[in-house]
Amino acid sequence: MGRDDGVAVLRATLEQISLGAGKTILISGEAGIGKSRLVRDAVSRWEGTGIRVWQGNCYEYDRTLPFAPFVDLLHKYPASLENLAGLPQLLRLAPDLAHKFSDVNRAPPAEPEQEKRLVLQAWATLLTSPNGFQHPARPTLLILEDLHWCDDVSLELLVQLSRVIATHPFALVLTYRSDETTPALNHLLAQLDREHLAREIELKRLQPAETAAVIRAIFGVEHVRDEFLEAIQALTDGNPFFIEECLRSLVESGDIFLQRGVWTRRALRDMRIPRTVQDPVQRRVAQLAEPSRELLQVAAIAGRKFDFDLLLAVTQQPERALLTQIKTLIAAQLVSETSADVFEFRHALTQQAVVTGLLARERRALHARIFDASERRFANHLESRWAELAHHAHGAELWEKSLLYSQRAGEQAQRLFSPRVTIEHFSRAIEASEAMPVQAGDTRVRTLYRARAQAHETVGDFDLARRDYEAALSQAQSSHDGHAEWENLFSLGFLWTARDMPTSHAYLDRALQAARRMDDPTTLGHSLNRVGNWLLNMNQPAGALRNHEEALRIFAELGDSAGLAATHDLLGITHMLRTDYVACRPHHAQAAALFRQLDNRHGLISTLALSSNHGGNYQSDTSVFAPEDTATCWRYGDEARRLAQGVGWRFGKAMSNMFLATAMGTRGAFARAFACAQTAMDIALDIDALVWEGGTHMMFGRLYLDVLALPMARLHGERGVELARQVGATEQLRTAAALLAQTLIAQGEWARAEALLAEFHSELDAATQTVSLRGIVSAQAELALARGDAQMALKLTDQLIQTAAHTGEGAIVPRLWHVRGQALHKLSRHDEAERVLQTGADAARAQSLMPTCWRILVSLGKLHRSRRRVEQAQAACQQAREIVGTLAAELSAAELRDGFLQGFEAMLGEPPHTTPLRAAKQAFDGLTAREREVAACVARGMTNKAIAEQLVVSERTVEKHVENAMGKLGFSSRSQVAVWAAQKL
């Protein structure tokens, strides 16, 4: 994982030595970084290729033994010594092997320098001679690991060997710890570098995305909770050995566990350090002199980073003595200097291992000393040190100070939009308050519970947010604080909307009653808004509109900008679900402007995410959309998700990505649509938000339907319906059912589609009121059309057209025009059908609704074919084919792309043609349009990250495109792809 560059270098080395050009490869990095793993991977890749592999090791206790790693090779492969010139010299180093070669005379002793020269010559002969390790017809790979423990004379031999192998089919792979080099090893590295004899692979710590890949691979899961990943990354610093050892140990101890198919963890401070990591640290600590050991303990309690002045203040030692001790800690590879007077433990686990070795009383005393020193030292600017002071006050069990500084640090983190840090500080403050005597009238604890609940809600932890809101509500009721009771009822009602609508309504209704009792207009206005939104989700748009309009009047009279912003946002949503996208735009524009003025980022995220759907979306394709182009819709949604990422609001990030997925999907921007849908799904699963999980399944279902992957569309559609039922969200259930019915109709499952749609038959008298019911009627029209009842299909479609906002003003709804045109065709009203289909196709193209456009063109082509208009039929079908070719190029998965193209040709009902997409693939050695685009970026020297940003895809997708291109072209490196692209593109 994360070692693609290293693997590529080793692969290229094999190619070079196969051609007779020797090479020395250095693999460096800290302990546990994966040097041996990379070597093992290389060996496993080369098995069966004919290469001969010899492997030796240096050991810590062999540093003073001349030629120790080479003697290790002799003992591993004694058969290689047969008939070797120089054998007598080698047997002097391994006398225990002499009995195997009784006919060989012992070499007489020589002068030291001559002896050294003879031995070096013997080793060179052994390693490069056909009578030794080398083979005349097979390349040779010699691996020596852990050069940081190598003796000096062996290092000298390695320099000579690197010179000799340049003209032999021989690769020398050497590993060493870059943080434990000796003077002799540094001299070797300098010589190799000066003479350009070696290439170095420097292994770095894994980045979070690579750590996530490791965790997924180890546990065999598709998703890793972000908070869990952050904890493991912080604990291990991305060191692969530490990651594996920590995961193993933490699973065994129960500190991490599987919850609803997702790995989660206990609080970071409660996680135990595995013995395999702790023991080496403690052995190093035990070798320190007492003063240095005590200093290390102070530093460990101070934190991962610590500064010299703090140590001076805490230890009260002379500066010179302290400097000497710090140098000792640096030499022991426990800490490192990061900048002037600032030091850092080399690993978070090193620091924690030292802390773990202390008794609780020792830790408490050290925290107290550090707290006192810090509070005095920073007395004039405590605000910048609130978090640090809170940590040490809590560790010292100075409860009043801990409550004070933890609350201040939490509020500071809140202002900086850092919800996880907020939770940590408020949790510490709550613990401190519970350890203190309860004082009458003290509202701090209730405030802390509510503030922590809001942070839990932001990061998507439903259960913890609910628990804290309930605790705050209970305390408000006990103290008879009406306003506090209302705000917590209000928050619980909103929280439950993502899980269970009836429960949400119960809380919101109680909040509304409490607001009316208080005679507070502001409170009443917010309550009316939230209940109105609930009514909308329960398919009661008229009631929702009344509530929001009443709230708007209240906030307008009060001049309350925050209330007006929230109300305009909700009025925009209400008009959207009442299928009037033209009316919703000004409300969202006003809401966005107010939210920007107020710096209300959460509100702005919601408004921008919804605005991305003004110009088109899957749920409302029976409505007239606002005239927004693709770039504008993308800009709205992209700003929303970047804002959500910035404030750590995972719910908002899921929402904005889901809305972007439907906005891009309806336009055929499938690469962006699938990527956004996957991000939304990952977050929904992570935060256990069933409403958003169900909504994202709906999006995936419709995306797969658009690319004709019907089994996948059905699978996601069924899950979307199931989750909507579970949550009790009426509007979402109808929308999901309509989308699933479309897939069932496409699969010929007419009876199943009819049964699903029949559930909502009694509600269809309100078909003009909401998006979801219009979707049901539209699906019924398509079912009637599939069954041959064109008259019913026409009746239902005309009903939808007549009741759609703005169609009387000449606006076109492409999907409805498509169904109407097909029905007219079946009723033999051909001229009318042709006009309707052509109008629908033109409108779909003008609105960039390309998946709808190509379907209408296929129907138009079939109409022309039935009237024997061959040229017109071919023209319509060719237009559809060109659109599909462009859309298919958006799909990176070959199976999905090929299935789309094949499904399209089957729908067309004509003999397959060579499509422009296929012709282009043939001209460019089988590479798809997107693979060619990535290859061109590689040729310009762009990194995967830069390519991903330019193409608006993930780095993993870029990596897959590069791998696909290399596989199709038969290449083994990016440089080859770059050369190909420069010549071909």
Side-chain angles (χ1 to χ4, degrees):
M1 298 293 182
R3 302 295 183 237
D4 291 348
D5 290 343
V7 170
V9 169
L10 291 173
R11 184 185 295 146
T13 300
L14 175 61
E15 294 174 358
Q16 285 181 308
I17 66 172
S18 297
L19 299 173
K23 193 70 176 176
T24 298
I25 300 295
L26 297 166
I27 302 177
S28 63
E30 66 187 8
I33 203 66
K35 301 181 293 296
S36 296
R37 178 67 60 87
L38 181 61
V39 169
R40 288 201 302 272
D41 178 75
V43 171
S44 67
R45 288 171 184 267
W46 293 341
E47 285 179 351
T49 63
I51 193 169
R52 305 178 79 198
V53 179
W54 308 94
Q55 189 158 1
N57 289 80
C58 305
Y59 298 98
E60 188 171 8
Y61 47 78
D62 286 342
R63 279 177 170 169
T64 58
L65 297 178
F67 299 106
F70 295 101
V71 173
D72 179 48
L73 282 171
L74 293 183
H75 285 91
K76 286 182 178 178
Y77 313 107
S80 62
L81 300 175
E82 297 283 355
N83 304 316
L84 180 73
L87 180 57
Q89 281 76 25
L90 297 181
L91 291 177
R92 285 176 60 80
L93 300 173
D96 54 322
L97 295 178
H99 69 280
K100 295 179 178 288
F101 307 96
S102 55
D103 56 337
V104 176
N105 296 323
R106 292 291 188 93
E111 291 296 323
E113 280 303 314
Q114 183 183 7
E115 179 73 15
K116 177 181 174 181
R117 187 166 55 254
L118 290 171
V119 172
L120 289 174
Q121 184 178 353
W123 280 118
T125 302
L126 171 65
L127 296 171
T128 59
S129 168
N131 293 329
F133 284 1
Q134 184 58 273
H135 189 279
R138 296 169 62 187
T140 299
L141 170 64
L142 173 60
I143 300 166
L144 286 181
E145 295 208 62
D146 298 326
L147 289 194
H148 49 280
W149 288 327
C150 190
D151 62 279
D152 293 359
V153 71
S154 292
L155 294 174
E156 187 177 340
L157 171 58
L158 287 173
V159 174
Q160 295 190 20
L161 185 58
S162 295
R163 295 170 182 146
V164 170
I165 65 171
T167 56
H168 291 74
F170 197 106
L172 181 60
V173 176
L174 311 171
T175 75
Y176 71 95
R177 293 182 187 172
S178 52
D179 54 352
E180 296 187 32
T181 58
T182 63
L185 177 54
N186 286 329
H187 181 65
L188 162 78
L189 298 174
Q191 282 186 290
L192 294 178
D193 188 49
R194 187 164 51 249
E195 299 180 38
H196 305 290
L197 294 173
R199 179 169 182 180
E200 184 160 4
I201 302 170
E202 185 179 0
L203 301 185
K204 304 290 187 181
R205 296 175 185 177
L206 299 181
Q207 296 300 306
E210 295 162 342
T211 298
V214 171
I215 297 172
R216 288 196 299 267
I218 289 174
F219 289 139
V221 296
E222 294 183 1
H223 181 68
V224 179
R225 191 183 291 271
D226 280 359
E227 190 228 6
F228 174 70
L229 170 61
E230 289 168 9
I232 297 299
Q233 185 74 13
L235 196 63
T236 63
D237 284 333
N239 182 291
F241 172 73
F242 288 173
I243 292 169
E244 294 188 13
E245 288 301 300
C246 282
L247 292 175
R248 179 188 56 77
S249 176
L250 296 174
V251 168
E252 290 173 357
S253 65
D255 287 336
I256 60 176
F257 46 91
L258 196 62
Q259 187 177 64
R260 290 194 66 199
V262 178
W263 286 94
T264 189
R265 66 171 177 88
R266 299 191 195 282
L268 185 60
R269 62 182 179 274
D270 298 330
M271 295 169 73
R272 292 178 282 274
I273 308 302
R275 282 191 295 272
T276 50
V277 175
Q278 188 170 338
D279 289 348
V281 175
Q282 291 180 341
R283 283 199 302 271
R284 287 189 181 187
V285 173
Q287 295 172 2
L288 297 172
E290 184 64 24
S292 297
R293 188 159 59 248
E294 290 179 358
L295 178 64
L296 185 70
Q297 292 167 351
V298 173
I301 294 296
R304 174 75 187 277
K305 276 189 175 182
F306 52 92
D307 63 75
F308 188 79
D309 289 339
L310 177 64
L311 296 183
L312 274 177
V314 173
T315 63
Q316 299 293 304
Q317 290 192 48
E319 182 173 330
R320 183 175 294 278
L322 196 61
L323 282 171
T324 300
Q325 292 167 22
I326 288 179
K327 287 180 178 179
T328 301
L329 300 182
I330 293 173
Q333 300 295 324
L334 293 167
V335 302
S336 60
E337 185 179 23
T338 60
S339 60
D341 292 337
V342 178
F343 304 90
E344 181 180 42
F345 279 87
R346 294 187 65 84
H347 293 283
L349 284 170
T350 303
Q351 178 215 355
Q352 292 210 15
V354 175
V355 172
T356 302
L358 295 170
L359 297 174
R361 179 177 289 273
E362 292 177 302
R363 292 197 295 270
R364 192 164 56 247
L366 287 172
H367 276 298
R369 289 167 59 189
I370 294 170
F371 174 80
D372 289 339
S374 298
E375 195 175 38
R376 288 195 305 271
R377 182 182 173 199
F378 304 115
N380 294 328
H381 47 94
L382 288 176
E383 183 175 352
S384 64
R385 298 287 173 164
W386 281 342
E388 180 183 329
L389 291 167
H391 170 71
H392 292 301
H394 200 77
E397 298 183 5
L398 302 172
W399 301 127
E400 186 66 46
K401 293 285 190 179
S402 175
L403 175 57
L404 171 66
Y405 289 125
S406 295
Q407 184 169 5
R408 288 180 177 177
E411 291 166 351
Q412 187 179 59
Q414 243 181 348
R415 291 192 295 272
L416 296 173
F417 304 103
S418 299
R420 295 198 188 281
V421 179
T422 301
I423 291 167
E424 182 180 347
H425 289 306
F426 284 148
S427 295
R428 193 180 286 126
I430 290 170
E431 289 177 19
S433 69
E434 291 173 345
M436 295 163 53
V438 178
Q439 298 180 8
D442 190 345
T443 63
R444 285 185 296 179
V445 178
R446 184 181 70 221
T447 303
L448 288 168
Y449 272 116
R450 176 168 175 76
R452 188 173 69 173
Q454 291 170 326
H456 279 308
E457 187 174 1
T458 295
V459 300
D461 199 322
F462 172 86
D463 289 326
L464 292 179
R466 175 184 56 79
R467 200 175 304 160
D468 279 352
Y469 279 132
E470 288 173 350
L473 174 62
S474 176
Q475 292 184 13
Q477 291 169 334
S478 298
S479 60
H480 306 291
D481 187 330
H483 187 272
E485 180 182 358
W486 166 81
E487 67 181 0
N488 286 296
L489 285 168
F490 182 87
S491 295
L492 280 163
F494 181 72
L495 180 70
W496 273 102
T497 57
R499 286 293 187 89
D500 185 274
M501 286 297 180
T503 303
S504 170
H505 182 247
Y507 278 114
L508 291 173
D509 189 55
R510 288 170 61 190
L512 182 57
Q513 293 173 24
R516 293 191 187 281
R517 288 195 301 270
M518 286 189 294
D519 193 27
D520 179 352
T522 301
T523 301
L524 178 60
H526 287 300
S527 300
L528 286 167
N529 270 339
R530 188 49 53 200
V531 174
N533 188 245
W534 182 89
L535 289 169
L536 187 66
N537 281 304
M538 298 305 291
N539 194 40
Q540 299 178 47
L545 194 59
R546 284 194 300 272
N547 273 29
H548 295 321
E549 288 176 343
E550 183 180 351
L552 191 67
R553 286 193 296 273
I554 290 172
F555 290 127
E557 290 172 3
L558 294 171
D560 186 335
S561 296
L564 285 170
T567 309
H568 278 300
D569 182 48
L570 291 168
L571 276 167
I573 297 171
T574 304
H575 283 300
M576 286 179 79
L577 291 185
R578 294 179 79 243
T579 75
D580 193 340
Y581 281 82
V582 175
C584 83
R585 283 178 79 196
H587 285 295
H588 279 153
Q590 291 183 65
L594 287 168
F595 283 137
R596 289 187 195 278
Q597 290 174 14
L598 297 164
D599 194 27
N600 182 338
R601 301 185 195 182
H602 287 72
L604 183 58
I605 289 163
S606 172
T607 298
L608 290 173
L610 290 162
S611 297
S612 71
N613 275 218
H614 289 167
N617 61 72
Y618 282 135
Q619 305 95 301
S620 306
D621 57 2
T622 63
S623 310
V624 174
F625 291 124
E628 296 278 25
D629 59 29
T630 302
T632 300
C633 292
W634 174 260
R635 188 173 65 251
Y636 286 140
D638 191 46
E639 183 182 358
R641 64 179 188 168
R642 284 187 285 106
L643 283 169
Q645 177 71 28
V647 301
W649 188 26
R650 306 194 67 210
F651 184 90
K653 187 176 177 183
M655 173 180 63
S656 53
N657 273 283
M658 194 181 84
F659 282 126
L660 261 183
T662 185
M664 294 299 105
T666 199
R667 289 168 162 78
F670 292 137
R672 286 183 282 182
F674 273 106
C676 289
Q678 189 59 59
T679 299
M681 179 66 79
D682 289 344
I683 298 171
L685 290 171
D686 201 0
I687 65 178
D688 204 20
L690 300 184
V691 166
W692 294 107
E693 182 184 345
T696 308
H697 275 296
M698 288 162 46
M699 291 307 99
F700 269 121
R702 186 54 191 269
L703 283 168
Y704 281 118
L705 178 61
D706 265 357
V707 298
L708 306 180
L710 300 185
M712 290 296 293
R714 179 170 177 171
L715 183 68
H716 283 284
E718 289 173 341
R719 183 59 177 155
V721 169
E722 178 187 345
L723 286 169
R725 289 190 198 282
Q726 183 177 337
V727 172
T730 306
E731 184 74 8
Q732 182 167 320
L733 174 59
R734 295 191 185 108
T735 302
L739 293 174
L740 175 58
Q742 287 182 263
T743 302
L744 293 171
I745 293 166
Q747 287 186 307
E749 294 273 359
W750 299 339
R752 181 127 188 266
E754 183 177 26
L756 180 62
L757 296 171
E759 293 183 39
F760 312 102
H761 182 72
S762 61
E763 304 166 2
L764 293 183
D765 57 342
T768 62
Q769 292 187 13
T770 67
V771 165
S772 66
L773 286 175
R774 289 180 65 81
I776 293 290
V777 174
S778 179
Q780 287 188 325
E782 291 185 10
L783 178 61
L785 190 63
R787 285 184 153 171
D789 190 348
Q791 194 63 52
M792 176 57 71
L794 185 62
K795 175 184 175 182
L796 292 172
T797 305
D798 283 346
Q799 174 189 336
L800 290 171
I801 292 172
Q802 291 162 11
T803 55
H806 310 292
T807 50
E809 304 162 19
I812 306 297
V813 183
R815 180 182 171 193
L816 297 181
W817 260 242
H818 184 204
V819 178
R820 189 170 194 275
Q822 289 176 291
L824 290 169
H825 180 199
K826 286 185 180 294
L827 292 171
S828 299
R829 295 162 61 177
H830 301 307
D831 290 340
E832 191 176 356
E834 182 181 347
R835 287 195 300 274
V836 169
L837 289 174
Q838 188 62 61
T839 301
D842 292 342
R845 191 185 296 275
Q847 296 173 41
S848 300
L849 306 177
M850 304 316 292
T852 301
C853 185
W854 74 256
R855 288 176 182 271
I856 299 176
L857 287 168
V858 168
S859 295
L860 186 59
K862 290 179 178 179
L863 170 64
H864 285 312
R865 196 184 311 151
S866 70
R867 304 183 74 182
R868 303 186 186 281
R869 298 176 175 176
V870 178
E871 290 185 5
Q872 292 96 322
Q874 288 179 344
C877 291
Q878 183 58 30
Q879 289 179 56
R881 186 177 285 112
E882 289 172 359
I883 292 172
V884 169
T886 301
L887 299 182
E890 286 272 323
L891 303 172
S892 59
E895 184 178 355
L896 193 62
R897 184 174 59 249
D898 292 344
F900 183 21
L901 294 171
Q902 291 166 11
F904 166 74
E905 294 295 344
M907 285 182 65
L908 210 54
E910 290 184 344
H913 297 274
T914 299
T915 67
L917 179 63
R918 287 175 180 163
K921 286 177 65 177
Q922 292 169 4
F924 294 102
D925 301 324
L927 267 63
T928 64
R930 180 46 64 94
E931 287 164 358
R932 298 195 299 273
E933 192 173 6
V934 170
C937 291
V938 171
R940 293 197 295 272
M942 296 173 66
T943 64
N944 284 354
K945 183 177 181 181
I947 298 172
E949 290 174 353
Q950 177 170 313
L951 301 184
V952 199
V953 296
S954 69
E955 285 189 60
R956 185 172 179 80
T957 299
V958 173
E959 290 170 7
K960 192 65 180 175
H961 285 316
V962 174
E963 289 176 11
N964 289 343
M966 289 168 63
K968 291 177 180 179
L969 298 170
F971 294 160
S972 59
S973 68
R974 288 171 69 96
S975 58
Q976 291 173 298
V977 174
V979 171
W980 177 89
Q983 294 173 344
K984 283 273 194 175
L985 303 179

